[in-house]
Amino acid sequence: MNSSRRAKHRPTVLLDSDAFFEDFDTWSTRLALEELLDEALELPEISEALKQEELRAEEARDAILGSDSALAKVRMERERALRVPDRPKSRTSALREARLLVVAGIMVVGYFSVLQLAWQPMSPFLRVFGLIGFGCVLALAAGMLVRRAPRLFVRERERSAGAVPHPAMVALGDRREHALREIVLPELRTYILANRRTRDRTNLIFAEPDPAGPELVHTAAVKRLRRIIDRADSVAVALAGSRGAGKTTSIRSLERGLLSRTGQAAPLVVVASAPAAYEARDFVLHLHALLCKAVLATISPGSAGVARWWRTLGRAVRHALWVLVKIGVAAVAVWLLWGGTPKQVVADLGAFASEVMGGTITPRQLWAGLPVRRVVALGVLAVLLLRLVFGLLGGTATTVSGVLARRKQARLTNLKRLAEDQLDRIRFLQTYTTGWSGKLSMPLKGEAGRTWSAQRAEQQLTHPEVVDKFREFAELAAGRLAEGNVAGRVVIAIDELDKIGEPEKAHQFINDVKGVFDVPGCLFFVSVSDDAVLGFEQRGLGVRDAFDSAFSEMVRLEPFTLDESRLWIALRLRGISEQFCYLAHCLSGGLPRDLKRCAVEMVDLANEVYQPSLEFVTRSLVTGEMSGKIRAFTATAATLERSPELVALTTDLLGVPGTEEPGELAEIAERLVRDEGEISAPISDLRWQSGCFVLFCATVLSIFDDTLTGGGLSADLHRLAVVRQRMAMHPKQAWDDLVEFRKDLDRWS
């Protein structure tokens, strides 16, 4: 973290001495929270969001610092961190800082020693000059200590400006990144959401649309997924939810590393789509092949390693030449300062070194008995020798680290070869043929011969053998990739399992492939249907099925809440008013897939019509959806047995597309669900589903018109989204909820 953060956010807790003496525990917890806040406010995600919503960072900082819930969560993290030892500091950084401190000490002690030895023969002018120089050396050494000591004793970050608290005061240790991501960032996002700028207008106006927007909305399910990934090394998780709830998006987010474990490299993610018709052995082989391809794509090619080796050799040669140049310059300087021929200089220096090692020359004799130019020559020689010693130590450390790195690279290369071999084995059935033949000529032109040959064909592996091979390779790949810091872990995701329509077949599929689960270093995620969730959640009631035995955890992805939908739309259509955010949430029912469709249709309408009104947009979206649904309802009715009730139902349905007035649509809905005696169950279900949908469209049209202002928007409109979610599976319950909502709406108006 650079020093500009301290300039922008002045520390307040660290300077509060009264709180320090009154309650040290609370003071230190607030100090840790302030440290995390200052770091979070500099993240692009937070700073950009504050800028777009025209919020001040200082106000957000003060609000979170005053939050009792955030303070309590940070206190819990500090208590957990006290049970975990701190990570050791970087050895290279510590050696570098220690060397600088040693240099500072040598500067002070050396200058003082030289000044003491030369004090007597020096003139008054030189004494004054020497004292001034000693003060400068002291100031320089003190500056080095002040700048470098915090790096040794606080933490390895470039924070040279402002007050820096000791890590013992913050006391978060390894929990720091977790507290930043799981406590401070959600608190800031909540603050931005609660205080974001809302716009009240009935015209569709927004800035340039951003279809991608932020990668994820931080729902409760996303937070739980992150906690699972943080705490587990091997787990099988079922992602459940209705179609369009975001199961595939969550899996793709794993692939992009958005849910990676704190402090680790992005995982190696393999995504496979569940087949509608399958053989268990073939699907495991398919997973194995995908994993081999992912490993080969992740490990750098061998040519890159050769290129790096040549670059390293070139740097070593250039460094050696530069060292030789410096040695030559220093040798020439020593020769010129010492005087005499090079051979005589070498002999004099050798004799002088032997006298010094024997203890026959004291420092005072050295200073008084040698000319000044020879003392300077000895100083140059001493600096050169020290530089060579430090260079030799650094080169040795670099060589050792290079050897270790090459060993890691060699292990990755072996993994790459193994992946290639196994991919070959999966693709082809290998056949080997060996043999020999001979011929013996007989007299009178007769011949006799015999041929021996043997053919060996490798048999296909059985399903248990395929599973064992996959588990063995997956565990090896996870260990090697984590050791080389190439990938955090191996994540294998099986998507679209809910396209296997029959629950029995889905159960059988899980029974067949669950043998590959529970591999050390590997995480498995499978998207399942809502029926599977019911089976999983019945455990403890005497029911134990394939999903219960296969998965260790089940995460259900619920539709967006009203606030989450508003945030999703507002982040993609900058500057859009609240009325359109509420409209999209009600029409989509909070399902991310349908919410995206609403946003795309709004963008298309804004491109066709200049600043379309709320009523125009609502009618366009509702009539478009009604046309599609009525076609589906009439097509379903055509498949039923013909009867007078079916004819009446079809007549009512065909009258819906030409009707746009809410009152007329409500009357049609009443006719559709009217009880007309005994009718077949398929026709009854179709009546309730179509009638509930038509009444829902009439309600939306009556609410979202050009008279709707910000004061008319309330959290009760979320009830419309709940009706939208329920009408497919429980149309009668959705009808009752919708009728009750319309009654409440009449009372409010």
Side-chain angles (χ1 to χ4, degrees):
M1 191 63 60
N2 53 33
S3 59
S4 62
R5 178 167 67 83
R6 283 298 180 182
K8 290 182 179 179
H9 309 296
R10 185 176 61 86
T12 57
V13 179
L14 189 64
L15 305 179
D16 190 356
S17 57
D18 294 336
F20 176 85
F21 291 105
E22 290 176 1
D23 188 351
F24 176 78
D25 186 47
T26 302
W27 176 86
S28 58
T29 303
R30 293 188 70 241
L31 178 64
L33 179 58
E34 183 185 50
E35 282 285 291
L36 296 173
L37 273 171
D38 289 345
E39 185 172 347
L41 288 171
E42 292 302 311
L43 295 177
E45 171 195 353
I46 299 300
S47 59
E48 185 66 21
L50 289 171
K51 180 181 178 181
Q52 289 170 350
E53 301 299 338
E54 299 181 2
L55 298 174
R56 296 181 66 243
E58 289 297 332
E59 293 178 355
R61 185 173 182 266
D62 294 340
I64 306 301
L65 276 176
S67 171
D68 293 335
S69 63
L71 198 66
K73 292 176 184 177
V74 173
R75 190 191 301 271
M76 291 175 58
E77 292 301 321
R78 294 178 75 241
E79 292 174 356
R80 293 171 182 168
L82 291 177
R83 296 190 288 268
V84 181
D86 290 337
R87 292 178 181 176
K89 293 187 177 182
S90 170
R91 184 172 302 175
T92 303
S93 176
L95 288 175
R96 186 186 305 114
E97 304 298 335
R99 184 175 64 184
L100 291 170
L101 294 178
V102 170
V103 169
I106 291 175
M107 287 172 54
V108 176
V109 175
Y111 191 94
F112 181 75
S113 301
V114 172
L115 186 63
Q116 183 183 13
L117 292 173
W119 185 261
Q120 293 297 333
M122 290 174 64
S123 63
F125 173 76
L126 291 179
R127 289 182 179 182
V128 173
F129 185 79
L131 290 175
I132 295 175
F134 185 62
C136 295
V137 170
L138 284 177
L140 182 61
M144 293 178 64
L145 290 174
V146 169
R147 289 193 300 271
R148 300 293 176 175
R151 293 189 179 183
L152 270 179
F153 304 112
V154 179
R155 62 188 181 195
E156 301 170 17
R157 296 197 176 190
E158 297 181 0
R159 301 179 58 188
S160 58
V164 179
H166 195 278
M169 297 179 183
V170 178
L172 281 171
D174 286 348
R175 306 292 297 180
R176 179 185 179 88
E177 292 297 327
H178 178 81
L180 174 67
R181 191 182 68 180
E182 299 296 336
I183 298 176
V184 176
L185 288 178
E187 289 283 346
L188 282 172
R189 294 188 190 107
T190 303
Y191 173 84
I192 294 172
L193 179 62
N195 296 273
R196 70 186 183 90
R197 183 182 179 185
T198 58
R199 295 165 177 84
D200 182 11
R201 55 173 175 255
T202 57
N203 291 97
L204 183 57
I205 302 173
F206 51 84
E208 187 67 23
D210 181 11
E215 300 290 350
L216 283 175
V217 175
H218 297 273
T219 61
V222 171
K223 295 176 183 177
R224 186 181 174 192
L225 274 177
R226 278 183 167 165
R227 289 194 296 269
I228 291 173
I229 293 171
D230 269 345
R231 69 171 179 260
D233 284 326
S234 176
V235 68
V237 180
L239 298 177
S242 57
R243 292 184 179 273
K247 300 188 292 293
T248 302
T249 301
S250 299
I251 290 176
R252 297 302 174 184
S253 299
L254 290 169
E255 194 172 9
R256 293 191 294 270
L258 299 178
L259 299 174
S260 302
R261 175 187 280 185
T262 304
Q264 277 196 351
L268 174 67
V269 180
V270 176
V271 181
S273 296
Y278 72 96
E279 289 290 338
R281 175 183 172 278
D282 293 340
F283 184 75
V284 176
L285 284 175
H286 176 59
L287 279 182
H288 198 156
L290 290 178
L291 180 58
C292 291
K293 293 177 182 178
V295 169
L296 293 175
T298 302
I299 300 176
S300 58
S303 58
V306 174
R308 286 197 299 271
W309 181 81
W310 281 110
R311 287 198 297 268
T312 303
L313 180 61
R315 285 196 300 268
V317 171
R318 290 193 299 270
H319 181 69
L321 292 176
W322 178 240
V323 170
L324 291 176
V325 169
K326 290 192 288 187
I327 292 175
V329 171
V332 171
V334 171
W335 169 49
L336 294 176
L337 289 170
W338 192 270
T341 62
K343 185 176 181 180
Q344 184 180 358
V345 171
V346 173
D348 291 345
L349 290 176
F352 178 78
S354 61
E355 291 178 357
V356 171
M357 296 297 294
T360 58
I361 297 180
T362 63
R364 184 175 296 276
Q365 291 174 343
L366 171 65
W367 182 261
L370 290 178
V372 175
R373 58 188 180 86
R374 291 199 171 186
V375 173
V376 175
L378 290 175
V380 172
L381 185 60
V383 170
L384 176 62
L385 292 176
L386 286 175
R387 187 71 182 89
L388 289 176
V389 169
F390 279 120
L392 182 61
L393 293 176
T396 303
T398 303
T399 302
V400 171
S401 62
V403 170
L404 295 177
R406 281 194 293 272
R407 289 185 61 185
K408 290 183 179 179
Q409 186 67 29
R411 294 171 69 86
L412 290 176
T413 303
N414 293 336
L415 176 62
K416 178 184 175 183
R417 292 172 181 169
L418 179 61
E420 292 172 344
D421 293 341
Q422 299 215 0
L423 190 60
D424 249 0
R425 184 188 182 93
I426 293 169
R427 286 175 175 171
F428 305 107
L429 177 64
Q430 300 174 357
T431 301
Y432 305 93
T433 302
T434 59
W436 61 276
S437 62
K439 182 175 67 173
L440 177 64
S441 297
M442 302 293 292
L444 302 177
K445 298 183 179 180
E447 293 185 356
R450 186 175 183 180
T451 300
W452 291 269
S453 68
Q455 188 174 19
R456 184 178 59 176
E458 185 174 342
Q459 297 297 320
Q460 291 187 353
L461 299 178
T462 63
H463 178 61
E465 291 173 330
V466 168
V467 171
D468 288 340
K469 291 290 184 181
F470 174 82
R471 292 176 59 88
E472 180 183 349
F473 179 74
E475 182 177 357
L476 177 65
R480 293 281 177 88
L481 294 175
E483 179 186 348
N485 199 28
V486 177
R489 279 174 295 180
V490 173
V491 175
I492 298 174
I494 302 176
D495 195 12
E496 299 181 0
L497 181 62
D498 47 3
K499 76 180 181 182
I500 301 179
E502 301 177 17
E504 293 78 12
K505 289 186 177 180
H507 282 215
Q508 184 61 40
F509 176 81
I510 293 299
N511 274 327
D512 289 339
V513 301
K514 70 180 181 181
V516 303
F517 295 167
D518 195 25
V519 177
C522 298
L523 275 67
F524 293 85
F525 291 87
V526 182
S527 65
V528 299
S529 63
D530 286 336
D531 294 337
V533 178
L534 295 176
F536 183 84
E537 292 178 346
Q538 283 177 341
R539 58 183 181 173
L541 301 177
V543 178
R544 182 173 180 83
D545 58 11
F547 289 89
D548 186 15
S549 60
F551 299 114
S552 52
E553 297 202 45
M554 179 81 70
V555 178
R556 179 171 175 80
L557 301 177
E558 300 287 352
F560 284 164
T561 64
L562 176 59
D563 287 338
E564 290 168 351
S565 294
R566 290 166 58 203
L567 180 62
W568 193 95
I569 289 287
L571 291 177
R572 285 158 178 79
L573 303 179
R574 301 286 183 183
I576 193 171
S577 61
E578 288 293 296
Q579 285 89 332
F580 294 94
C581 295
Y582 277 74
L583 172 62
H585 177 68
C586 293
L587 288 178
S588 65
L591 285 176
R593 182 183 299 168
D594 293 341
L595 193 65
K596 183 177 181 180
R597 290 172 180 167
C598 288
V600 171
E601 290 178 7
M602 286 182 182
V603 172
D604 292 340
L605 288 173
N607 291 331
E608 295 175 0
V609 180
Y610 176 72
Q611 296 184 3
S613 65
L614 176 62
E615 185 171 343
F616 176 81
V617 173
T618 304
R619 287 184 180 275
S620 299
L621 296 180
V622 170
T623 54
E625 188 166 1
M626 276 199 306
S627 299
K629 288 289 185 181
I630 296 304
R631 282 196 300 270
F633 288 141
T634 52
T636 303
T639 62
L640 301 178
E641 185 178 354
R642 191 172 183 84
S643 64
E645 293 83 4
L646 184 62
V647 173
L649 171 61
T650 305
T651 302
D652 290 334
L653 289 176
L654 293 176
V656 172
T659 306
E660 295 184 358
E661 292 302 321
E664 297 178 6
L665 287 174
E667 292 176 1
I668 295 176
E670 291 285 350
R671 292 200 302 270
L672 285 171
V673 300
R674 186 178 302 159
D675 187 6
E676 297 181 351
E678 293 294 331
I679 58 175
S680 62
I683 297 178
S684 177
D685 292 341
L686 189 57
R687 277 187 172 277
W688 278 106
Q689 289 178 355
S690 58
C692 184
F693 175 75
V694 172
L695 186 61
F696 170 80
C697 293
T699 307
V700 171
L701 288 172
S702 64
I703 294 175
F704 293 94
D705 55 18
D706 292 341
T707 63
L708 181 63
T709 60
L713 299 174
S714 67
D716 287 319
L717 291 176
H718 177 64
R719 294 165 61 184
L720 274 179
V722 175
V723 169
R724 185 71 176 86
Q725 298 167 16
R726 291 178 178 175
M727 65 174 62
M729 299 296 296
H730 309 285
K732 292 184 179 180
Q733 179 64 43
W735 174 274
D736 294 339
D737 293 342
L738 194 53
V739 169
E740 186 66 26
F741 175 79
R742 289 172 65 88
K743 291 179 180 178
D744 294 339
L745 186 64
D746 292 337
R747 288 196 296 268
W748 298 333
S749 59

